């Protein structure tokens, strides 16, 4: 039987180091915010001939010098009917929201410039978010996260005890902070898909934690007066570890191929889940349960 509880101080110290490192990245490097949160214009074009990213940038710069800073990425061609079709994602800092003429001018100019090079392009997607809308989306995202955490705390408090609720929320905050640090470290775009990954991670991590808590509650009744709370928590974690690892490994094996081959559009979501599954499993076993031992000792078992 592995001693999870006896080494809890070492794992809590490791978690504190990971959280501090994550916060350093978040506050020094910041996030690569997508159009949803930073505002701007994002569109996908297809071309009948392959062109380099620098050529796309040159054409944008010739239309307007500010467009020289655009983010441009070549996408994987998912069009099975026309394998000669090439796709490019372009993100401009400038929002064209509210100006149909500017949007049409950009589209027409790009088609004309590419046509001069013998390349025919089509606009497949056009997403435009103003600065006000971006702030509104950002605010609603924060509201969604805060309300979710409050509801989670209330649910676990009602089902178990308040100490379990606090332990679950601390473990959840641990998971989200470290995952945010990875987003900052690898400059993965934070967009609506990334927020969806955070909320999915919250549900996944909490489910794993509740399984451990449920086993602890069951063993607290079973070993009442026979074993210490440290022994009960350690026995409980060892009884569910195989189930937790099986769930995490199978989930990770599904998410990893999506992250590698799924393309840029779904990468922020898959990245959050891939990191979150690993961090969430670790926190469920090494953080969520050991940190409630102090509270449980004060209760009569």
């Amino acid at each position: 039987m592995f001693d999870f509880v006896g080494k809890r101080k070492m794992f809590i110290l490791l978690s504190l180091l990971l959280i501090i490192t994550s916060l350093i990245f978040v506050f020094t490097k910041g996030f690569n915010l997508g159009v949803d949160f930073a505002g701007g214009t994002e569109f996908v074009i297809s071309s009948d001939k392959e062109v380099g990213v620098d050529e796309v940038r040159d054409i944008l710069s010739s239309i307007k010098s500010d467009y020289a800073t655009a983010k441009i990425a070549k996408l994987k061609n998912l069009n099975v009917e026309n394998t000669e079709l090439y796709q490019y994602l372009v993100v401009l800092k400038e929002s064209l929201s509210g100006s149909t003429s500017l949007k049409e001018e950009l589209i027409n100019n790009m088609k004309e410039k590419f046509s001069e090079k013998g390349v025919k392009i089509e606009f497949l997607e056009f997403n435009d978010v103003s600065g006000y809308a971006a702030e509104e989306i950002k605010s609603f995202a924060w509201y969604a996260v805060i309300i979710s955490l409050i509801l989670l705390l209330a649910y676990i408090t009602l089902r178990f005890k308040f100490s379990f609720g606090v332990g679950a929320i601390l473990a959840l905050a641990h998971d989200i902070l470290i995952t945010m640090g990875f987003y900052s470290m690898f400059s993965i775009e934070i967009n609506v898909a990334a927020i969806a990954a955070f909320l999915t991670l919250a549900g996944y991590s909490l489910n794993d934690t509740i399984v451990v808590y449920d086993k602890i509650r069951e063993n607290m009744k079973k070993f009442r007066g026979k074993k210490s709370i440290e022994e009960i928590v350690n026995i409980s974690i060892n009884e569910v570890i195989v189930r937790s690892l099986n769930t995490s490994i199978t989930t990770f094996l599904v998410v990893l191929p999506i992250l590698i081959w799924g393309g840029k559009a779904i990468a922020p979501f898959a990245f959050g889940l891939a990191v979150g599954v690993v961090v969430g499993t670790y926190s469920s076993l090494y953080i969520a349960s050991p940190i409630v031992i102090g509270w449980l000792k004060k209760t009569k078992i």
Side-chain angles (χ1 to χ4, degrees), residues 252-287:
F252 185 80
L253 290 177
V254 171
V255 173
L256 188 61
I258 297 175
L259 175 62
I260 297 173
W261 296 295
K264 183 178 173 61
I266 202 169
F269 179 78
F271 180 83
L273 279 189
V275 175
V277 165
V278 176
V279 178
T281 304
Y282 162 76
S283 72
S284 299
L285 299 175
Y286 292 99
I287 302 300

Side-chain angles (χ1 to χ4, degrees), residues 35-148:
V35 171
D36 300 324
F37 297 113
T41 302
E42 179 181 273
F43 54 85
V44 176
I45 58 173
S46 66
S47 66
D48 59 350
K49 293 180 182 175
E50 186 173 12
V51 293
V53 169
D54 290 338
E55 291 180 81
V56 179
R57 190 180 305 282
D58 289 342
I59 287 175
L60 286 168
S61 303
S62 67
I63 296 171
K64 190 174 181 180
S65 59
D66 291 347
Y67 295 164
T69 58
K71 295 179 186 175
I72 305 168
K74 185 179 178 182
L75 303 179
K76 292 178 182 177
N77 184 11
L78 301 178
N79 190 333
V80 295
E81 295 179 355
N82 185 359
T83 55
E84 299 299 324
L85 198 62
Y86 302 91
Q87 297 182 18
Y88 302 86
L89 171 69
V90 180
V91 181
L92 305 176
K93 289 183 179 178
E94 180 183 349
S95 171
L96 305 180
S97 178
S99 177
T100 306
S101 59
L102 284 176
K103 178 180 173 182
E104 290 178 351
E105 185 181 341
L106 173 64
I107 292 173
N108 292 333
N109 282 334
M110 285 194 70
K111 286 184 175 179
E112 183 181 336
K113 297 284 183 182
F114 273 103
S115 178
E116 290 172 0
K117 292 178 175 290
V119 180
K120 182 181 178 182
I121 66 166
E122 294 293 337
F123 280 74
L124 303 179
E125 294 178 19
F126 206 103
N127 182 23
D128 194 12
V129 180
S130 68
Y132 175 77
E135 286 298 321
E136 194 173 57
I137 292 172
K138 200 185 298 181
S139 299
F140 281 126
W142 277 114
Y143 291 148
V145 172
I146 292 170
I147 291 171
S148 299

Side-chain angles (χ1 to χ4, degrees), residues 236-255:
S236 303
I237 295 174
N238 276 280
E239 287 179 347
V240 300
I241 187 172
V242 174
R243 177 261 179 211
S244 294
L245 289 178
N246 284 340
T247 305
S248 301
I249 291 171
T250 51
T251 305
F252 185 80
L253 290 177
V254 171
V255 173

